[in-house]
Amino acid sequence: ASDERPYHIRVEAAMRTKRTEDEREYLVILSLAPTNPDAHMRDLSAACLYQFASAPRFRDGRGVVDIAETFLVPSTVCGVTAYLTLCSRAAGAVGDGDERPPLLFEGQTSYDLGDDLLYFRHVRVDDELGPRAYEPREKPGFSPPIRMDGADRPHEYESDARLTYEVLPCPRATTHHGVLDEVSSVFTRTAVKRKWWTLLVEDRIYFYRSQQNPTAEMAWPLWKMILKPHLQTGVLELKHADRTMLVSHGDAAQRKKWFDMVRGNMESIKLKGAPRTRRRSLTRRPSVSDRRPS
């Protein structure tokens, strides 16, 4: 759809966190949900589109927690609100079996992304944290809420803590996204092995199992990739290291769009010069790799 956007949300830092007797680790849970969910969706948290969590960090002596993580959102419509929940846990705490360690609610803030995504605006937000208005789940959809001590007592919430973060829509000129078919042969585009939700952002191309997955299965740097079009069959051959991906699309215009966008971004990198060192991944987990899944 024309109003769908991929974008980054960079969580910078939490400030003015309270001093505690025990040593604690702090993390931010980022949840993205429709600003105006369907009428039948009584529980807003069950309408969650994506959810991410930062790595745990310690506060310094000034009460600052340096989060410094950037999350890549594969694509949502513009009518989305970001809920950022700050929580903490005892340092070194481990969960019981499959359960995560107990979390303590430290505050929440929210931001309506609508106009900023629609008009591709880069925004920096510095907002105070308040009581919980949104209940993060263990994962998007109908799953158990994340247990947080203190979150269900809004009348007792007292804190001066603040959270700073940025909303960075991906550049329209160098971004493209949609479903691509992975095919088994360069001679035909109908022998489909699987479908990938694919996202091209400037100098990388990401492959997701589905549009709903928050983390890419593969992230290939364009400056290390070879593109070879097979125009007669409509198959694009992508090579990275010793791996090859054959992709296509059922629509001829989309096939041409993908080829032109990938080639254009690769040529732009050549003009600018390839990065001297591999850039840090823009997704939360460093496990997003260029390794082909089995």
Side-chain angles (χ1 to χ4, degrees), residues 172-184:
R172 179 164 29 184
T174 55
T175 301
H176 192 49
H177 57 89
V179 176
L180 282 177
D181 298 329
E182 181 181 5
V183 299
S184 57

Side-chain angles (χ1 to χ4, degrees), residues 14-237:
M15 300 171 291
R16 301 180 185 174
T17 59
K18 294 180 292 186
R19 186 181 299 276
T20 58
E21 295 182 0
D22 59 335
E23 191 174 27
R24 303 193 67 80
E25 299 173 315
Y26 293 79
L27 63 149
V28 170
I29 298 173
L30 168 63
S31 308
L32 296 156
T35 302
N36 297 303
D38 293 339
H40 70 274
M41 191 66 71
R42 296 180 182 178
D43 188 344
L44 177 63
S45 64
C48 181
L49 301 172
Y50 292 102
Q51 190 162 283
F52 305 86
S54 68
R57 300 277 193 272
F58 292 101
R59 69 189 292 278
D60 64 18
R62 300 169 299 154
V64 175
V65 183
D66 185 19
I67 306 294
E69 287 205 38
T70 304
F71 305 102
L72 174 59
V73 182
S75 181
T76 68
V77 295
C78 297
V80 167
T81 295
Y83 296 88
L84 296 95
T85 307
L86 180 67
C87 47
S88 67
R89 68 187 188 192
V94 295
D96 183 12
D98 293 334
E99 294 186 2
R100 69 175 72 228
L103 296 176
L104 178 65
F105 177 77
E106 301 284 353
Q108 187 180 86
T109 182
S110 64
Y111 187 80
D112 184 346
L113 304 177
D115 286 346
D116 299 318
L117 291 184
L118 183 63
Y119 299 109
F120 295 90
R121 291 196 298 239
H122 172 194
V123 180
R124 186 175 185 275
V125 182
D126 180 347
D127 199 10
E128 62 184 10
L129 297 177
R132 186 182 67 185
Y134 176 92
E135 187 175 41
R137 300 267 177 161
E138 290 290 345
K139 59 182 180 180
F142 294 94
S143 66
I146 297 176
R147 292 189 299 113
M148 293 186 195
D149 293 338
D152 55 353
R153 297 189 296 274
H155 58 283
E156 298 180 8
Y157 181 81
E158 292 184 10
S159 176
D160 295 325
R162 306 186 67 86
L163 196 67
T164 58
Y165 54 97
E166 291 179 282
V167 181
L168 304 104
C170 297
R172 179 164 29 184
T174 55
T175 301
H176 192 49
H177 57 89
V179 176
L180 282 177
D181 298 329
E182 181 181 5
V183 299
S184 57
S185 170
V186 298
F187 300 109
T188 176
R189 63 175 184 271
T190 60
V192 179
K193 295 169 58 178
R194 60 164 65 102
K195 294 181 180 291
W196 295 98
W197 175 263
T198 310
L199 174 60
L200 174 68
V201 180
E202 299 184 278
D203 60 6
R204 289 181 186 269
I205 187 167
Y206 300 85
F207 298 95
Y208 297 80
R209 290 287 186 182
S210 73
Q211 186 179 357
Q212 290 72 41
N213 284 14
T215 306
E217 293 288 335
M218 295 175 283
W220 288 7
L222 298 188
W223 69 91
K224 294 184 178 181
M225 204 176 78
I226 297 173
L227 172 66
K228 183 179 179 181
H230 298 270
L231 299 179
Q232 288 186 338
T233 56
V235 174
L236 299 182
E237 184 175 351

